Amino acid sequence: MNARFVIQRIGFVLLSFIAVVVVLPILVIVAIIVVRGIGAINWEFLTTMPHDGMKAGGILPAIVGTIVLTFGTAIAAIPVGVGGAIYLSEYARDTLFTRAIRLAIVNLAGIPSVVYGLFGLGLFVLFLHFGTSILAGSLTLAIMTLPVIISTSEEALRAVPTEYRTVIASLGGTRWQGVRYVVLPQALPGIITGIILGLLRAAGETAPILFTVSAFFLPRLPHSLFDRTMALPYHLYVISTQVPGMPQEIQYGTALVLLMLVLSMNLVATLIRGHFRRRRPW
Amino acid sequence: MSKFVVQNLNFYYGKFRALSGITLTILDRQITALIGPSGCGKSTFLRCLNRMNDTINGTRVEGKVLLEGQNIYDRRVNVVELRRRVGMVFQRPNPFPQSVYDNVAFGPRVLGMARSKSQLDDIVEESLRGAGLWEEVKDHLHQDALSFSLGQQQRLCIARAIAVKPEVILMDEPCSALDPIETLQVEELMQTLKANYCIVIVTHSMQQAARVSEWTGFFWLGELVEFDSTAKIFTNPSHPLTENYITGRAG
């Protein structure tokens, strides 16, 4: 057989092997969490307060806390993020100023999450007197999420052919009308992907909420935006490291709930994206 | 009656001078063809007529372009309204990835031209009839525009352009992506349209210029070498460059 076909064969086998190596850890992690945690999952676990020093009862406040925080993050981050992306892609000219903005966004994406946590503590909790609260936590998570939303949204907007903008101008449409009626609808699937990616990261983060919102143990649901709350990632950290004699099943059960919450958000995003993507020409 | 009067127009991309000293008059309800080799400035000139070049960074214009007596480069001119009056059809058919109806209705919608659904329906029908497309698409108004043939898509783009009731239609090589039959349909359409519109077409096909236009301008290296009636240009050009180009010895 010709040598180049042998090389092709070897290359193919090698790449398949690498693909398996990449996917395997994810499957193993999910499998372990499901197997060890599924026993803990029942109606009571999902809907009641923890008791006996969190060693028994449910994790309702943590679930609610994470959902509330994710919503808060979305409300704060989506308008600013998508708006910023529209500005950068549709309006901003290439100046020193916009280059500085882009540089800042790239750098924001690289900052460790614990630094966001400290920043949120300094700005929202202390300086603005929001206290340790859902408001402070949501805003901190939102700032952390912004770079992801802005850069993916900008990319999605730029992928819409320039031609459409030209046509709109030639029809006597304003730039905003072009954005509103043609460019934005076309870019929506990509923008939604960016938003979900950002929110998923926010939902799973521990460090940014550590100092800004999280309660170690708060066996009730939050009352207002200025209330603190438990949240799944931090709760998981607490019951895994801070509480001696914690039943392992509760730890894995909590991890499983967090995983399912994140995966189901991901699934919803994929469905929305698929729904919008049907009619894209390129 | 003259529609455009262009006086001593210079155009620059940064430091590069793409058009120099263009002076000509474009008549209403006639077809004016602009010919010349690639990069000679004919498309740039076309885009000067509705200030489409404004969107490109680092461009600069000198001289005057009068549309019915008013200089369109005047500070007080509203560019968005200018482009409503001077419509454009592009090289590649480029309908929005929406239905036929939504494509034609796009302009009237953003301009707020229709007060009711039925009024909008009327504009859409009228425009599609105007573009000679109504009979072919009247039962498929809500079908995706991209599912039609390229020739139909290009006529749809013409319908979309005339839906905003422009006075001028600029066509930038409108047939370069079409087959000969589709090209013929667009050319026949142009003959119908010139009863109501001033049409300026840039074309690479000298046969097309000869077939459709009353007036022809020959561009060479950013200059308007010759501008005259199409008959004169193609039978008895006064400039040797024009003669070389139309006989295929240059360009």
Side-chain angles (χ1 to χ4, degrees):
Chain A
M1 204 163 66
N2 200 320
R4 62 202 181 96
F5 293 117
V6 177
I7 291 171
Q8 151 119 336
R9 191 81 218 136
I10 294 172
F12 182 74
V13 170
L14 209 63
L15 288 175
S16 311
F17 176 71
I18 291 170
V20 171
V21 169
V22 170
V23 175
L24 206 61
I26 302 169
L27 293 179
V28 171
I29 289 170
V30 172
I32 290 176
I33 292 177
V34 170
V35 169
R36 296 206 183 162
I38 196 84
I41 307 283
N42 54 44
W43 190 243
E44 193 204 347
F45 187 66
L46 296 175
T47 57
T48 61
M49 303 295 162
H51 52 82
D52 292 347
M54 294 188 274
K55 285 178 195 144
I59 54 167
L60 180 67
I63 296 176
V64 171
T66 287
I67 292 175
V68 168
L69 281 173
T70 308
F71 264 100
T73 306
I75 291 168
I78 292 173
V80 179
V82 176
I86 290 176
Y87 171 75
L88 285 175
S89 144
E90 306 298 316
Y91 291 91
R93 288 179 181 244
D94 189 24
T95 61
L96 219 58
F97 177 64
T98 53
R99 279 187 206 179
I101 293 180
R102 287 210 171 78
L103 194 67
I105 292 168
V106 172
N107 282 316
L108 275 177
I111 291 177
S113 57
V114 67
V115 177
Y116 282 103
L118 288 168
F119 174 76
L121 174 70
L123 179 64
F124 300 121
V125 178
L126 301 175
F127 183 72
L128 293 173
H129 297 291
F130 292 163
T132 308
S133 64
I134 292 175
L135 183 62
S138 298
L139 291 175
T140 307
L141 287 170
I143 290 180
M144 187 193 75
T145 314
L146 272 180
V148 181
I149 296 185
I150 293 178
S151 44
T152 47
S153 300
E154 191 189 349
E155 211 169 294
L157 288 163
R158 283 187 189 281
V160 178
T162 320
E163 218 177 345
Y164 292 139
R165 298 173 179 84
T166 318
V167 172
I168 291 153
S170 81
L171 290 170
T174 61
R175 197 179 284 216
W176 169 245
Q177 287 175 320
V179 172
R180 169 72 187 76
Y181 296 111
V182 176
V183 179
L184 206 50
Q186 293 299 307
L188 212 52
I191 292 177
I192 291 173
T193 309
I195 290 172
I196 299 285
L197 281 177
L199 291 183
L200 285 179
R201 190 178 162 208
E205 275 290 352
T206 311
I209 56 174
L210 195 59
F211 321 115
T212 54
V213 54
S214 281
F216 184 83
F217 177 59
L218 188 71
R220 62 172 174 83
L221 297 182
H223 299 305
S224 80
L225 275 182
F226 293 97
D227 209 351
R228 27 169 67 202
T229 179
M230 294 173 79
L232 282 169
Y234 183 60
H235 182 64
L236 190 57
Y237 165 74
V238 165
I239 60 176
S240 308
T241 61
Q242 309 291 307
V243 183
M246 193 71 199
Q248 225 188 29
E249 200 170 52
I250 291 188
Q251 295 170 357
Y252 279 101
T254 307
L256 182 58
V257 171
L258 180 58
L259 195 68
M260 285 305 137
L261 208 66
V262 167
L263 287 182
S264 58
M265 271 171 71
N266 212 336
L267 182 70
V268 169
T270 312
L271 292 178
I272 295 174
R273 202 167 65 210
H275 173 76
F276 282 113
R277 188 164 273 175
R278 276 180 302 128
R279 295 167 41 81
R280 275 212 310 193
W282 69 92
Chain B
M1 204 184 76
S2 61
K3 195 75 189 175
F4 281 109
V5 177
V6 181
Q7 294 167 346
N8 210 6
L9 183 77
N10 296 327
F11 186 84
Y12 302 85
Y13 289 109
K15 283 191 177 134
F16 174 70
R17 183 154 153 169
L19 291 174
S20 33
I22 309 292
T23 297
L24 82 166
T25 298
I26 295 170
L27 297 183
D28 200 9
R29 293 165 205 243
Q30 309 244 310
I31 298 177
T32 303
L34 308 176
I35 60 170
S38 297
C40 67
K42 56 193 190 304
S43 281
T44 300
F45 175 75
L46 192 76
R47 289 163 165 269
C48 283
L49 298 179
N50 64 347
R51 290 184 58 175
M52 219 49 161
N53 292 322
D54 287 17
T55 54
I56 305 166
N57 279 342
T59 58
R60 194 158 55 83
V61 179
E62 290 166 0
K64 280 183 180 173
V65 177
L66 305 177
L67 172 60
E68 301 205 317
Q70 195 194 14
N71 184 8
I72 63 172
Y73 285 94
D74 192 291
R75 213 176 257 284
R76 283 163 300 181
V77 165
N78 179 345
V79 183
V80 173
E81 169 60 13
L82 168 74
R83 295 193 183 125
R84 206 269 312 149
R85 293 175 64 192
V86 184
M88 196 161 196
V89 175
F90 300 82
Q91 200 166 344
R92 227 159 45 92
N94 52 10
F96 300 126
Q98 297 167 351
S99 72
V100 170
Y101 186 97
D102 287 338
N103 263 280
V104 183
F106 186 88
R109 275 181 179 145
V110 300
L111 295 169
M113 287 168 64
R115 259 184 232 99
S116 65
K117 174 86 174 77
S118 67
Q119 212 176 346
L120 190 61
D121 290 347
D122 290 344
I123 297 177
V124 169
E125 178 174 344
E126 190 190 326
S127 309
L128 285 168
R129 279 190 194 283
L133 199 58
W134 177 251
E135 293 303 324
E136 291 159 64
V137 300
K138 65 179 176 190
D139 299 322
H140 313 281
L141 287 179
H142 296 285
Q143 197 174 316
D144 196 328
L146 297 170
S147 65
F148 290 88
S149 77
L150 281 179
Q152 288 170 320
Q153 289 186 27
Q154 191 63 311
R155 281 181 287 142
L156 177 62
C157 292
I158 294 174
R160 182 176 62 186
I162 61 180
V164 299
K165 309 219 184 310
E167 299 156 36
V168 182
I169 305 173
L170 307 177
M171 298 186 166
D172 192 356
E173 296 179 46
C175 300
S176 60
L178 309 187
D179 71 26
I181 294 170
E182 293 168 334
T183 300
L184 191 66
Q185 288 172 328
V186 170
E187 288 181 6
E188 283 171 356
L189 176 58
M190 290 169 69
Q191 296 304 324
T192 325
L193 289 172
K194 77 173 180 190
N196 298 307
Y197 304 93
C198 167
I199 298 178
V200 186
I201 176 174
V202 162
T203 176
H204 265 125
S205 154
M206 281 173 282
Q207 292 89 335
Q208 184 170 53
R211 278 194 302 263
V212 301
S213 69
E214 279 82 29
W215 303 91
T216 298
F218 172 59
F219 281 77
W220 180 268
L221 300 176
E223 288 183 38
L224 181 61
V225 174
E226 191 168 348
F227 184 76
D228 214 323
S229 76
T230 301
K232 172 91 167 36
I233 293 270
F234 283 96
T235 54
N236 185 22
S238 44
H239 200 288
L241 265 177
T242 318
E243 185 170 357
N244 282 345
Y245 184 71
I246 60 168
T247 54
R249 268 176 290 182

